[in-house]
Amino acid sequence: MATVKPFAAIRFSEEKAGKIETLACPPYDIVSDEQRAALIEKNEYNMIKLELPKGENPYEEASDTFKLWQEKGVMVQDMEEGLYIYEEEFLDNVDKGEKKILRGFIARVKVEDFKNGVVLPHEETLSKAKEDRFNLMKATNCNFSQIYSLYIDEERTTDKKLDNICESTAPRYEFNDGLVTHRLWVVNDELTIASVCDDFQDRKLYIADGHHRYETAINYRNYCAENNIYAPDAGYVMMMLVNMAHEGLVVHPTHRLVRDMENFDGDKLLNATKEYFITEEIEGIENAEKVLKEKYEENKCAFAFYEGGESFTLLTLKDRSVMDEVLPEKSLASRNLDVSVLHNLILERLLGIDKENMAKQKNLTYTRSTDEAFEAVKRGKANCTFILNPTRVREIGEVAAAGEKMPQKSTYFYPKIITGLVINPLY
């Protein structure tokens, strides 16, 4: 099954580069140009220069910068191989003040083809993002950020080992970025490392976040082999591994915006949905998330449909068995997903937005903010929006175990894992 092993990470030297909180950055795909400039203004050595390079030759520039920083001692490779325990403390719901702590560890994992059934994806990917990450990986020969993966450990065997380390030693890094407190422990004890890695001999891994980067790792491994490039660790990739049963796991929904539809008729659409859904108009769009949460707790499939004004329409699926006819080739796990219902029953069957259209985001875009979704409709930037409930963690595992993939943007694990605490060299 999964092969997990330690590695000697390259890390920032705070003595040369500054405090780690000014060096780390959010994942590249959620950083705007303005945010990128602000990070660099705070510290010229911020990780975003490597993870999201700009300019006429961005990948070459990232490679040159990475080499220069190592030559100057701004970045230094650890003397010993180790595992890196990573923890995030955060508020899942600011209004309720519900504190959560998520803990896992960062290690090297052997790159496996999906057909081997060892590392399992759950979402479709976009080719443009994979091309970008592949070019950066070829230029720098390393992983700047880790893939976020889950494993099944209901007995908390590995968690208990990590807990013991964290309770008995102080973290190497600890800082707050305004929303999340980040902590990192460095584990070099050989017996502890061996014990943790051995836990994975009978485990599969389920990619939570980083599908593009994992597929890029497969491509990079093959590229090195086909071109006789010396990269001894190209067969491994850096991962953050978290127990699927961890109480700190939080998944947020990603909402759908329908745009640029010629002759869009909301009343006609709602009338058509009545074949499959119970429809109910509810006053106050600020109540949408609360109403959806109630349906979520009842295990009902429901969406909030909004096309303007101060009210929204609650769509509640009458009978999940309708999906047996819509997606007969898929597993029960895939058929029961809220996003499968929305994409296949409403977006594709009733609105005519086919899968290729969805993939190219011609008439369909995404947002994680309900306010942004409503505002886009109010300003005429979207014809309508569908507000969703989050995908359950167990559903992610069930779909992946069935060898299937969810539609794009089906999950959003919160909070994102910060980039820049550890780098995995592959040369």
Side-chain angles (χ1 to χ4, degrees), residues 71-130:
E71 291 170 2
K72 293 172 63 175
V74 170
M75 286 183 159
V76 180
Q77 186 167 14
D78 287 346
M79 298 295 292
E80 299 178 281
E81 290 190 337
L83 301 178
Y84 302 85
I85 300 175
Y86 177 57
E87 178 181 282
E88 294 176 306
E89 182 177 329
F90 59 98
L91 297 181
D92 176 34
N93 187 315
V94 177
D95 294 331
K96 291 183 179 180
E98 184 181 359
K99 186 175 79 170
K100 294 269 191 178
I101 293 179
L102 177 69
R103 181 182 291 162
F105 71 97
I106 300 169
R108 272 183 182 160
V109 175
K110 185 179 179 182
V111 176
E112 299 273 3
D113 293 330
F114 290 139
K115 66 181 180 181
N116 296 339
V118 176
V119 179
L120 304 173
H122 78 264
E123 251 182 22
E124 297 290 352
T125 56
L126 301 171
S127 57
K128 185 176 181 180
K130 287 184 285 190

Side-chain angles (χ1 to χ4, degrees), residues 259-310:
R259 65 176 186 178
D260 301 330
M261 293 286 293
E262 292 185 12
N263 304 315
F264 176 79
D265 188 331
D267 290 337
K268 182 180 179 180
L269 174 62
L270 279 179
N271 189 55
T273 63
K274 291 179 180 179
E275 179 180 352
Y276 310 110
F277 297 87
I278 298 169
T279 63
E280 180 183 1
E281 185 173 353
I282 297 177
E283 290 296 324
I285 58 177
E286 68 277 3
N287 297 316
E289 288 180 302
K290 177 184 176 183
V291 172
L292 282 177
K293 186 177 181 181
E294 292 172 355
K295 293 297 181 180
Y296 183 83
E297 292 172 348
E298 295 172 5
N299 200 32
K300 298 285 183 67
C301 174
F303 314 106
F305 169 77
Y306 178 72
E307 59 169 334
E310 297 305 318

